[in-house]
Amino acid sequence: MVPRPIIIDCDPGVDDAVMLMMALASPALDVRAITTVAGNVPLNLTSRNARMMCQIMDRTDIPVFAGCPRPILREPVTAEHFHGDSGIAGLDPFEPDAPLAAGHAVQHLIDTLRAARPGQYTIVVTGPLTNIATAIIMAPDIARGIDRLVIMGGADTEGGNITPFAEFNIFADPHAAAIVFDSAIPCTVLSLDVTHQVRAEPERLTLLRALPGPRAAIMVQLLEAANVLEARWKEGRMTPMHDPATIAWLLAPGLFESHQATVSVDTAPGDRFGQTRVALSEPGPHEWVTMADADGFFALIERLVNNT
Ligand code: RIB
Ligand code: CA
């Protein structure tokens, strides 16, 4: 089996860190680059944290490019209350050995996708969509090199997590999200509607903690820290596996159910600012994921980190 070429655009972020551990542990994925964006914490920290995870996973061969330091239009928002001031709650931050790759993430996306074969790359997006939208505006022709965008973002029936209607990644840059969803590039969207079905429940962490090897222990540290922060804000609920859902979908799509749809974003000022609107449509440019098999999801994670 030829590993699938992917580029990961993220804002680590505790759940981004868990997602990166899964992606970098999988022989089925060929992570060609990581691009970072301002989101959960400022860009300097998301960029450091991404490089930390590459070092922890012994993958310092993967270039990490820093991208946009702020949203396209709205004032910046961050989420330290869910990720810690470091953005990597649960781990002791350190300065990674490998420096940032030279050049802006958006330019790297454009150069890579222009040189790609048609549909060669899958782009995983787990932060605000600022980098992706900027690349599309600067070079619309890059769509040719993209198989699909696999995006963690949005909410429909579940309601929002940063306002009653908006999910953080979309709320943090709704204009960027609108550009991406309007671009006609195929998107698979894993929203709160599905990520809230898969949470780091104590019994699941007990099974992970029992696995041999340092990586399972590191993942448990991250998830336990995320649970402490989540419980402070969300009535004692355990942390949802938001960003890890993108990699789980890529590796085991049979664990999920989805519907064709057309997704749009409310960018008008007001209480619906950043809300995703989902019109189920056959056919539609977007795949809206609605269900996940949580047991299968965690069994996949256990396989990825077992004895590593
Ligand atoms: O709403 C959850 C999303 O916002 C996740 O990507 C999390 O990392 C934060 O960025
Ligand atoms: Ca994220």
Side-chain angles (χ1 to χ4, degrees):
M1 170 191 65
V2 176
R4 183 179 191 147
I6 69 169
I7 296 173
I8 299 175
D9 187 75
C10 55
D11 65 334
V14 175
D15 60 324
D16 303 74
V18 174
M19 173 276 296
L20 288 172
M21 293 185 76
M22 294 168 66
L24 301 184
S26 171
L29 300 177
D30 176 7
V31 182
R32 296 288 183 88
I34 295 170
T35 54
T36 57
V37 68
N40 288 316
V41 289
L43 180 67
N44 65 308
L45 294 181
T46 60
S47 303
R48 181 209 56 196
N49 295 341
R51 288 151 55 222
M52 273 180 58
M53 296 318 295
C54 287
Q55 186 160 325
I56 287 170
M57 297 300 290
D58 298 320
R59 291 302 311 275
T60 53
D61 58 300
I62 297 172
V64 177
F65 294 86
C68 294
R70 55 145 297 143
I72 286 175
L73 188 60
R74 63 154 298 155
E75 78 287 353
V77 289
T78 54
E80 287 90 348
H81 44 307
F82 286 116
H83 299 273
D85 290 343
S86 68
I88 198 92
L91 302 187
D92 293 327
F94 59 86
E95 187 54 35
D97 297 336
L100 272 174
H104 196 287
V106 172
Q107 194 58 56
H108 178 75
L109 287 165
I110 292 170
D111 295 345
T112 301
L113 294 170
R114 277 181 166 163
R117 297 188 306 278
Q120 181 176 1
Y121 287 92
T122 298
I123 314 285
V124 173
V125 190
T126 64
L129 286 87
T130 317
N131 288 341
I132 310 301
T134 303
I136 291 170
I137 292 290
M138 286 174 65
D141 55 294
I142 62 172
R144 176 182 170 277
I146 300 173
D147 169 58
R148 69 177 43 248
L149 303 173
V150 182
I151 298 167
M152 191 280 133
D156 184 24
T157 58
E158 195 65 15
N161 60 358
I162 198 77
T163 76
F165 305 104
E167 175 278 326
F168 177 81
N169 286 338
I170 308 302
F171 181 73
D173 197 342
H175 305 95
I179 289 165
V180 173
F181 287 131
D182 291 349
S183 70
I185 297 174
C187 297
T188 295
V189 185
L190 294 115
S191 73
L192 302 183
D193 292 10
V194 65
T195 64
H196 279 185
Q197 298 173 31
V198 190
R199 293 177 183 265
E201 306 292 353
E203 58 273 17
R204 299 199 188 281
L205 298 191
T206 300
L207 292 173
L208 271 177
R209 196 180 292 109
L211 295 177
R215 291 177 182 173
I218 290 168
M219 189 176 282
V220 170
Q221 283 173 231
L222 287 163
L223 292 172
E224 283 183 332
N227 277 342
V228 168
L229 293 168
E230 184 87 11
R232 283 185 194 156
W233 299 89
K234 297 284 181 181
E235 300 90 39
R237 297 299 304 271
M238 297 298 110
T239 191
M241 303 295 279
H242 298 304
D243 295 343
T246 60
I247 303 304
W249 182 86
L250 272 177
L251 295 176
L255 296 176
F256 300 87
E257 288 177 9
S258 59
H259 300 282
Q260 296 295 310
T262 301
V263 181
S264 58
V265 182
D266 192 330
T267 58
D271 63 359
R272 301 290 178 131
F273 183 66
Q275 182 179 19
T276 44
R277 300 189 187 280
V278 182
L280 297 184
S281 56
E282 291 285 346
H286 307 134
E287 184 177 17
W288 186 261
V289 182
T290 55
M291 191 285 291
D293 168 357
D295 291 336
F297 193 114
F298 272 91
L300 169 66
I301 291 180
E302 289 170 29
R303 288 195 300 274
L304 286 170
V305 297
N306 190 12
N307 203 22
T308 55

